[in-house]
Amino acid sequence: MKVWIKRICLSAIVVLQFCCTEKTGKVVNGKLSATVLIDRRENDSLFLLAVFDRALAFSSKKTAKPFGYNFEARVSGNANAVTAHLQFGNLFQRHRQHLLVRLVSSERSLINILILENGKFRKVVESEYADAIYINDPLRDVNGNGLMDLVVFWHPPPGCCPEENCTVYVYNPANGDFADAQIFNNASFFPGEKVIRGLEYGHAGEAGLYKYVWNGAKATPVEFVYPYIDHKGMFIKTKIPAHYPTEEDGEVLKRLPAEYEKINSAFLNWFLSADPVTINDKSE
């Protein structure tokens, strides 16, 4: 069964072919906003893929100019829904066009990027998150080369400690593709310095701060900083990750390097909240 989603915009009728029950869309900030009801006969496990396929079919007919469409899809009789966003245009480079497809449900999130080549879309990024809490996926320059990259922020299932993960896809201007995904924990980006600084996952006093340096599309770790056990207000800097390091593992610092004071304040406060007594207990 087929359904047509219709809306009127500036006397023109935009038709989005989906399936099943029809609802009228509306314009929000110049973008199409619509609700789509999916028939129960759609297999729930394939729901996101079904929405993606139809969104791609719709987008393939609208490549004459840039666009941004938002809609909501749901199984009829079910309160759960998929929130969808489509964005098409020169997202990363002036002479190349890409399509961003973001589908978010209560159980999974799917972020795809496709490049338009010879009138057809080719998928260059597929990023899926199951049993995780999607936050956002801004397009931003992470490595300081002046081009936009894709950064997906997400939370895994709750644990003991701060864990705001981000998956980074660095854009390749040579072919319109992207480098392999790189995942960072509790990261703050400094593209002007070509640096990432952040906080490892772990309890206060155990988790260290880290610094990665960009070399093209690849970020490489260069140092880690940990509290110095039994020496309040002092730290140990190492070249590799360490568990409660001592002076034998790296360089003793009498104060935290100022560059780390620029990271997200929540991550910095967690790092600095280490209780020396608790640290001693854990190191035994």
Side-chain angles (χ1 to χ4, degrees), residues 23-255:
K23 279 199 174 182
T24 303
K26 61 181 179 179
V27 178
V28 178
N29 295 328
K31 298 180 179 180
L32 171 67
S33 178
T35 300
V36 182
L37 298 182
I38 305 298
D39 193 288
R40 283 184 178 277
R41 287 172 294 180
E42 286 279 7
N43 188 325
D44 287 352
S45 65
L46 301 176
F47 188 34
L48 279 182
L49 295 179
V51 176
F52 172 78
D53 288 343
R54 291 178 173 87
L56 181 58
F58 168 75
S59 300
S60 297
K61 301 175 182 179
K62 303 293 180 182
T63 58
K65 59 182 180 180
F67 64 78
Y69 290 159
N70 298 311
F71 63 88
E72 185 179 82
R74 66 175 69 244
V75 176
S76 57
N78 192 325
N80 295 327
V82 172
T83 300
H85 171 72
L86 311 179
Q87 185 176 354
F88 172 75
N90 304 107
L91 306 183
F92 302 95
Q93 221 171 348
R94 288 185 179 180
H95 65 284
R96 286 193 171 96
Q97 294 176 301
H98 289 80
L99 172 68
L100 169 66
V101 180
R102 179 196 306 128
L103 306 176
V104 180
S105 73
S106 60
E107 297 180 352
R108 289 196 301 167
S109 299
L110 184 65
I111 296 92
N112 285 323
I113 295 180
L114 304 95
I115 186 172
L116 183 65
E117 295 177 327
N118 300 319
K120 295 183 179 180
F121 283 114
R122 176 176 65 87
K123 189 181 296 183
V124 291
V125 168
E126 182 173 17
S127 193
E128 183 174 355
Y129 302 86
D131 299 322
I133 301 175
Y134 162 83
I135 304 175
N136 58 32
D137 52 86
L139 303 183
R140 60 188 295 181
D141 177 15
V142 295
N143 61 347
N145 67 352
L147 298 174
M148 294 294 101
D149 307 297
L150 175 67
V151 184
V152 183
F153 290 93
W154 53 281
H155 282 301
C160 68
C161 312
E163 190 171 15
E164 182 180 286
N165 290 337
C166 62
T167 305
V168 175
Y169 299 88
V170 175
Y171 182 66
N172 182 355
N175 58 11
D177 211 325
F178 291 78
D180 291 340
Q182 300 171 76
I183 299 177
F184 304 96
N185 186 256
N186 302 324
S188 295
F189 295 92
F190 302 90
E193 303 176 52
K194 299 184 182 296
V195 162
I196 306 169
R197 299 183 183 91
L199 172 71
E200 294 178 320
Y201 180 77
H203 293 281
E206 178 183 11
L209 301 177
Y210 64 79
K211 179 167 71 173
Y212 280 64
V213 174
W214 287 103
N215 181 14
K218 179 71 173 178
T220 304
V222 294
E223 68 179 34
F224 299 82
V225 177
Y226 298 91
Y228 188 8
I229 295 176
D230 290 333
H231 296 75
K232 187 174 182 179
M234 298 178 68
F235 306 90
I236 299 286
K237 182 170 72 173
T238 67
K239 296 295 185 182
I240 59 175
H243 190 68
Y244 302 123
T246 67
E247 63 274 12
E248 296 179 355
D249 301 305
E251 177 186 353
V252 176
L253 305 176
K254 294 184 177 180
R255 58 157 295 169

Side-chain angles (χ1 to χ4, degrees), residues 265-277:
S265 60
F267 305 151
L268 180 61
N269 290 339
W270 180 268
F271 174 77
L272 295 175
S273 68
D275 182 348
V277 176

